Amino acid sequence: MTLAERAATGLTAAEVAERVAAGLVNRVPRRSSRSVAEIVRANVLTRFNALIGALFVLVMVFGDWRDGLFGGIILANTLIGIVQELRAKRTLDRLAVLGEQRVRVVRDGRPVEVAQAAVVKDDLVMVAAGDRIVVDGPVVESRSLEVDESLLTGEAEPVAKRPGDEMLSGSFVVAGSGSFTAGKVGRDAYAARLVEEASRFKLAESELQTGINKFLKYVTWLLVPVGVLLTISQFLSTRSFSDAVVGAVAGVVTMVPEGLVLMTSIAFAVGVVRLGRRRCLVQELPAIEGLARVDVLCLDKTGTLTEPGMDLEKVVPTREGLPVDRALRSLVAADPSPNPTMRAIAASLGEGDGPVWPPGEVVPFSSARKWSGTSFGEHGDWMLGAPDVLLAAGSAELKEAERIGATGRRVLAVAHAPEGGLAALVGGGGAAVEAAALVVLWQRLRPEAKETLAYFAHEGVAVKVLSGDDPVSVGAIAAALGVPGADRPYDARKITDADIEEVLETHTVFGRVSPQQKRAMVRALQARGHTVAMTGDGVNDVLALKDADLGVAMGSGSGATRAVAKVVLLDDSFATLPHVVAEGRRVLGNIERVANLFLTKTVYSILLSVLVGIVGVRFPFLPRHLTLISALTIGVPAFVLALAPNLERARPGFVPRVLRFAVPAGLACGAATFAGYVLASDDPRTEFAQDSTTATFALFVLSLWVLALIARPYTWWRVALVASMGAAFLVVIAVPGLREFFALQHQSAENDAVALAIAVAAALLLSHALRHDWYDRTLNLLLRRH
């Protein structure tokens, strides 16, 4: 088969099968998911699991097997993490298939749609405006094909593609249509080589993840010196190597906030599953956190505030004697890949009177030009596009278009020029263009848009409407939806680089915004310190979606927009966004609570270890004591709190807020417990078993008080959670078998009462300190100096 024949008929089924067998297919790793092996490895092979595993082995060799209970808890946590991530993976992969752009290829002489992964080398790929290029290869046919390669090269201007020119994966079609041969597929394609590693599933940098990593780094630095100090002190105080090992393990295990990373992963994974039930595809997990932090939401009008389709309301002739109806039908017929506007016109006009004219030169619509046109030889050249672009300034026709547009309708101008006028317009020269008619289209508002916009206004999120349509028409649509400032729409063509930030701060609704301006507006808002989300569905939104802190695409949008967005609303429901916000707030607020729990434990364990090392006494706990306390005041509550509803607004300053609570809480727990233990150990009537029980009582009471502080504001289930943890501890004390298992012997009521009194006093002092500003000022000063 010659190349010309292949260009006409594409590959045969047999040729496709040969290439599949040879592995010449377009398989690349999914952006939204990692493999099962990677999930297992990420949850099992961690530094903390290695440390906990080594400590578990030491306890099994030198101590009582019951003191190795913490090893089983770590195993259970790891398994839970794997299961939750696998659930999230299945959800992501299933939704990714639904949201993925299908690729049109020619096989056995017929155009068919296949999945991106089913494209093989030498396939003939057909493309049109809005399509994302998924493989590399030379152009075979070009019908005014223009491609935006700015995401790859940084060049802003669209590139005209002619037969023989190379198409690069990662670019997208902005105008025209055509076909090309798949020359490089899979990992050999240009975009795949550029972004394979960067686009793999990962928890991208975020304030939450950065803060947690900072905590883990500090804890890791402290583990070794404190562990060495504790081991030496335990050997000197007990003169028993076995007891020294068990005591040191008890102190070191408690320092490790092993569940913090796990809870973060689980919270994100559960968020993915919950949003998946609403047909919301989260292509990068931190997007859940991102929307919770957004304070500016930029919206494209068409397809976001309005439904994708529109209806032709009327055609208003502006000059008698011109065959406007036939010209419109001919323009529609000449367009190889009609957009929604052309489809709405075609659906309303029908077949009409007389055949359509044979087309000559065709100029496809693009967001930069804002018009399309076709030359029809002796019938002249006809254009369809924005009235303020095609019509003379100050003309009666333009004023009529503005008057109709002020009612919220979309108005297009039909213009006529003598033969050759189209070429003059494309070349940038003047042309004798005359107004022929105004096409009036009714845009259907999304029924959920008004309520969703009201939600964001109530939550303090500023809304900016960025549209390529006429500013007056955009303002009318925005006003109907209750957008503040809709009565003052701004023409983006007047914006300069010098005043763009100021204009964005003082205006809400913008019309005639070019794709490059949308991107510039997003960057200007970010330069002002805003966290920006951008929603859109068209190819003109791609650049802004890519640069926004969070890009949200509609499921019915172009393949290019879905590819670059971090969140895709597969059912096109704008009302899903508040649920994404709620999920983000749940993750941020709950992980902050969980971090308070785990880091309080880390602080008091470090303090206890240091005090034990300095004073030279035996460590006050066996590992099983701390396992019991951790399970009831941290482990079980953390699971509940991490997955519970939480509508608190996201605030910056994750690290200072956590330190503000965890440091004084940990110091109070550690100091009060140690004081009670030292006083008890000075009593000659008691031994270590009774003294450690006294310390366990004191630490549990303080830890339960910390849990009660973190659980605020109280609801019935939070009160029940705290009460049930206290009741569970009482059950352990009351049941002989459990009491023996956890080595609890409360022989001295006097010592217990003293330790509990110290614990209660410390709890009251902690509550008092957290209510005063002096501590905040001191901590902030220390953090700034650091």
Side-chain angles (χ1 to χ4, degrees), residues 68-306:
L69 190 61
F70 64 86
I73 293 176
I74 296 301
L75 177 62
N77 286 348
T78 301
L79 291 175
I80 291 171
I82 292 172
V83 170
Q84 290 289 2
E85 283 208 48
L86 289 176
R87 285 183 65 207
K89 172 182 168 58
R90 285 196 299 269
T91 300
L92 285 171
D93 288 349
R94 183 177 68 252
L95 293 178
V97 171
L98 294 175
E100 189 176 73
Q101 171 191 333
R102 304 280 288 181
V103 182
R104 296 184 298 280
V105 298
V106 178
R107 291 180 180 174
D108 291 320
R110 299 191 311 276
V112 295
E113 286 193 352
V114 299
Q116 293 183 19
V119 176
V120 301
K121 184 176 170 61
D122 299 324
D123 253 331
L124 182 63
V125 182
M126 304 171 65
V127 292
D131 286 346
R132 177 173 175 262
I133 308 304
V134 298
V135 294
D136 300 351
V139 174
V140 173
E141 182 183 11
S142 172
R143 294 183 289 275
S144 303
L145 185 63
E146 295 180 17
V147 176
D148 190 313
E149 297 180 346
S150 60
L151 298 180
L152 303 175
T153 65
E155 291 294 330
E157 292 299 318
V159 179
K161 294 292 184 178
R162 299 174 177 81
D165 290 346
E166 191 75 6
M167 298 283 271
L168 296 177
S169 58
S171 59
F172 55 94
V173 181
V174 293
S177 59
S179 61
F180 70 99
T181 302
K184 295 179 181 178
V185 297
R187 286 180 165 85
D188 293 332
Y190 184 80
R193 297 197 306 271
L194 284 180
V195 304
E196 179 175 344
E197 288 304 318
S199 65
R200 296 289 289 274
F201 171 100
K202 66 181 184 298
L203 285 178
E205 284 301 314
S206 65
E207 184 181 353
L208 180 65
Q209 192 66 23
T210 301
I212 290 174
N213 288 339
K214 187 177 292 186
F215 293 141
L216 298 180
K217 179 178 69 175
Y218 293 154
V219 170
T220 303
W221 287 348
L222 290 170
L223 277 175
V224 174
V226 174
V228 171
L229 173 65
L230 189 59
T231 302
I232 295 173
S233 70
Q234 290 307 283
F235 182 75
L236 294 176
S237 63
T238 63
R239 297 298 177 180
S240 166
F241 187 74
S242 296
D243 290 342
V245 168
V246 172
V249 167
V252 173
V253 164
T254 318
M255 295 181 212
V256 180
E258 70 287 336
L260 184 55
V261 176
L262 171 72
M263 291 300 161
T264 304
S265 300
I266 289 177
F268 275 120
V270 171
V272 167
V273 174
R274 286 176 173 173
L275 290 175
R277 295 189 186 121
R278 297 184 179 275
R279 294 180 60 77
C280 175
L281 170 61
V282 180
Q283 304 205 92
E284 294 181 11
L285 289 191
I288 297 176
E289 175 191 351
L291 192 46
R293 298 191 186 281
V294 163
D295 60 355
V296 176
L297 176 62
C298 296
L299 304 170
D300 176 52
K301 174 181 69 66
T302 306
T304 303
L305 298 179
T306 62

Side-chain angles (χ1 to χ4, degrees), residues 156 195 308 331 353 434 511 523 551 646 694 725:
V195 304
L331 283 169
D353 298 326
E434 61 178 342
R523 289 178 172 176
N646 191 329
T694 298
M725 295 301 100

Side-chain angles (χ1 to χ4, degrees), residues 6 39 83 97 102 182 316 348 459 471 482 497 533-534 634 644 675 751:
R6 176 168 292 161
I39 290 174
V83 170
V97 171
R102 304 280 288 181
V316 182
S348 299
E459 295 300 316
D497 292 341
M534 174 75 199
I634 300 173
N751 289 344

Side-chain angles (χ1 to χ4, degrees), residues 557-750:
S558 70
T561 58
R562 298 198 304 272
V564 301
K566 294 181 177 70
V567 173
V568 181
L569 308 179
L570 294 174
D571 60 359
D572 271 9
S573 177
F574 190 42
T576 304
L577 278 182
H579 296 288
V580 181
V581 171
E583 210 50 55
R585 290 180 175 177
R586 182 191 62 77
V587 170
L588 262 66
N590 290 344
I591 293 305
E592 186 168 320
R593 293 177 189 272
V594 168
N596 284 331
L597 284 175
F598 280 101
L599 292 173
T600 295
K601 182 190 73 166
T602 298
V603 172
Y604 73 60
S605 63
I606 291 174
L607 178 62
L608 282 171
S609 299
V610 172
L611 290 175
V612 165
I614 294 174
V615 176
V617 296
R618 185 171 179 179
F619 193 76
F621 304 103
L622 294 174
R624 72 190 88 167
H625 294 148
L626 294 172
T627 298
L628 174 63
I629 295 171
S630 296
L632 295 181
T633 62
I634 300 173
V636 174
F639 269 107
V640 177
L641 293 175
L643 305 180
N646 191 329
L647 298 179
E648 296 176 15
R649 294 185 184 182
R651 298 170 294 162
F654 169 72
V655 171
R657 280 197 309 278
V658 171
L659 290 178
R660 178 191 182 278
F661 184 92
V663 171
L667 292 176
C669 291
T673 300
F674 187 74
Y677 170 69
V678 170
L679 290 175
S681 62
D682 286 341
D683 188 344
R685 298 169 298 172
T686 59
E687 297 180 350
F688 174 74
Q690 291 82 41
D691 299 338
S692 63
T693 300
T694 298
T696 301
F697 289 168
L699 183 56
F700 178 80
V701 168
L702 277 163
S703 299
L704 193 66
W705 183 255
V706 168
L707 174 61
L709 293 176
I710 289 173
R712 297 175 300 181
Y714 296 124
T715 59
W716 69 266
W717 65 264
R718 287 176 177 170
V719 173
L721 173 65
V722 176
S724 61
M725 295 301 100
F729 188 76
L730 293 176
V731 169
V732 172
I733 295 174
V735 177
L738 292 175
R739 191 167 62 241
E740 180 184 354
F741 182 88
F742 285 104
L744 297 175
Q745 299 180 21
H746 50 99
Q747 179 176 332
S748 175
E750 180 183 346

